[in-house]
Amino acid sequence: MRPSAGAARRIQAAELAETLTPSEATVKTHVARIFAKLGLRDRAQAVVIAYETGTHPYRKPVVPLIIPR
């Protein structure tokens, strides 16, 4: 269904969201823009940052080891 067709039928936003799916190109564009805003080169760098900051669901944050003198 085209978005304009849904608007013409005056369907609810939730119903419209269920019928619309983004294309692969749209998803790639969104991912690229998110990476650009975060200053990331690629998915691999995003995973490294997630591990280092503890935002990855399977990894705790890396805490620098501080040795008292």
Side-chain angles (χ1 to χ4, degrees), residues 24-46:
E24 182 179 351
T26 300
V27 172
K28 286 181 179 182
T29 298
H30 286 299
V31 170
R33 288 181 179 169
I34 290 168
F35 284 176
K37 287 181 180 183
L38 296 174
L40 302 173
R41 291 184 307 272
D42 52 23
R43 291 177 189 266
Q45 188 180 18

Side-chain angles (χ1 to χ4, degrees), residues 1-61:
M1 175 189 309
R2 294 185 332 249
S4 58
R9 289 183 35 220
R10 293 185 177 268
I11 62 175
Q12 297 295 319
E15 185 183 354
L16 185 59
E18 288 177 6
T19 61
L20 295 177
T21 55
S23 69
E24 182 179 351
T26 300
V27 172
K28 286 181 179 182
T29 298
H30 286 299
V31 170
R33 288 181 179 169
I34 290 168
F35 284 176
K37 287 181 180 183
L38 296 174
L40 302 173
R41 291 184 307 272
D42 52 23
R43 291 177 189 266
Q45 188 180 18
V47 171
V48 169
I49 298 298
Y51 268 90
E52 289 176 350
T53 60
T55 56
H56 190 281
Y58 303 113
R59 177 76 175 180
K60 293 182 180 177

